[in-house]
Every structure is written in structure tokens, then in C-alpha cells.
Amino acid sequence: LEIMKDSHIGTFGVIAVVGEILCKSLMVMELFSGAREWVLYGVIAAVPVISRMTMALIIYISRYARKEGMGGLFFSYKRSMNLPVALILGLVFSLTAWHYAPLLIVVSILCGLAVRALCYHKIGGMTGDTLGAMLEFAEAVMLLAAVVFHTIL
């Protein structure tokens, strides 16, 4: 956990960030290369909303891996009413993706649970950094799923 406090980004960090930005850009370009662009605008709008809805779910079912830290604020304010509100708002706003919404929601939750399982195995919980990584991973995989779904249809 100490390495995560280092504010300097290494070579692999730069490669990961650039690679993720390129992958997301390519997937968005691929989505807009086809027809029905108005539906795809909804997909682009829904992806960040759904990933944050998943983050709320993961925070609610997880524990914080550190004794202190800025990410602990997310975990210290989880209340029983916050999760239903986040889920309802996420589901309502995900409707902009029309028939893509169920696929994107399932993919995002599966990504979140996979990252959570990995973090529990490696560091015994979640941190703010791992929540951010989960969010970016879920968004990239949702865009990939949307491209595959769009190509099949």
C-alpha cells in the first residue's frame, strides 16, 4: 500500500494511461463509423454514469484497505439510503443508451466485481486508487462491449 502513496508516475503508469486513452478513443471512433448515431450518443453519455453507479455499489459492499487516506471518505459516508439513490439515478440516466443499457450495466458490474476480487486478494480491500482504476477499466470494457454489440447488429 505504500507504493500507492508515491505521487510520481512511472513508465508503466504512463504506458497504461496513454494506452487506455487510445483504446477508448478508437472504440468511440468505431462506434460512430456506423449508422444510428443518435443511439450511440446515448451510449457515450451512459458509460460514465453506469461506471459511477457501479462504483457506488462496489463502495457499499467493500471495505477500505488503509487505516487513513482520502479514499476513506467514500467508504466512511456509505449509508443504506445512498446505494438505492445511486442505483435509481444510474438506471434512469442509463436509459439514454436504449437497448445497449442492460448490456452495459451487466458488463460494468462484472468489471467492478472482478477488480474488487483482485484488490481483496492483493491488498485486502479497496482504496481510492483502486476505485479509480475500476472506473476506468469498466468504462473501457463497456465501450468495447458496445462496439461488439454494434458490430453484431
Side-chain angles (χ1 to χ4, degrees):
L1 290 176
E2 286 298 317
I3 191 71
M4 296 172 92
K5 291 183 180 180
D6 185 8
S7 63
H8 297 90
I9 187 165
T11 306
F12 289 114
V14 171
I15 291 171
V17 169
V18 170
E20 197 243 348
I21 291 170
L22 287 173
C23 286
K24 281 184 174 181
S25 299
L26 288 172
M27 287 182 273
V28 168
M29 287 172 35
E30 182 63 30
L31 279 173
F32 284 107
S33 67
R36 298 189 311 255
E37 288 186 12
W38 60 274
V39 174
L40 300 176
Y41 286 118
V43 170
I44 301 301
V47 163
V49 173
I50 294 170
S51 66
R52 279 147 183 87
M53 178 186 73
T54 301
M55 183 186 286
L57 174 67
I58 297 301
I59 289 170
Y60 192 76
I61 63 172
S62 301
R63 68 177 177 268
Y64 192 55
R66 294 185 178 151
K67 290 183 174 37
E68 72 270 342
M70 289 181 16
L73 293 173
F74 293 111
F75 292 90
S76 65
Y77 286 106
K78 60 182 175 183
R79 308 268 191 281
S80 60
M81 193 58 199
N82 293 352
L83 182 63
V85 169
L87 293 177
I88 289 169
L89 288 173
L91 291 173
V92 166
F93 285 107
S94 71
L95 294 177
T96 62
W98 293 88
H99 57 280
Y100 288 81
L103 170 74
L104 298 178
I105 291 169
V106 169
V107 165
S108 182
I109 291 173
L110 289 176
C111 287
L113 292 173
V115 171
R116 180 184 182 268
L118 179 66
C119 291
Y120 267 69
H121 176 72
K122 295 287 186 182
I123 59 175
M126 299 292 287
T127 67
D129 291 333
T130 60
L131 286 172
M134 181 218 62
L135 186 117
E136 294 298 327
F137 177 65
E139 287 181 0
V141 175
M142 280 190 286
L143 285 171
L144 177 63
V147 167
V148 170
F149 189 63
H150 181 69
T151 304
I152 291 172
L153 293 179

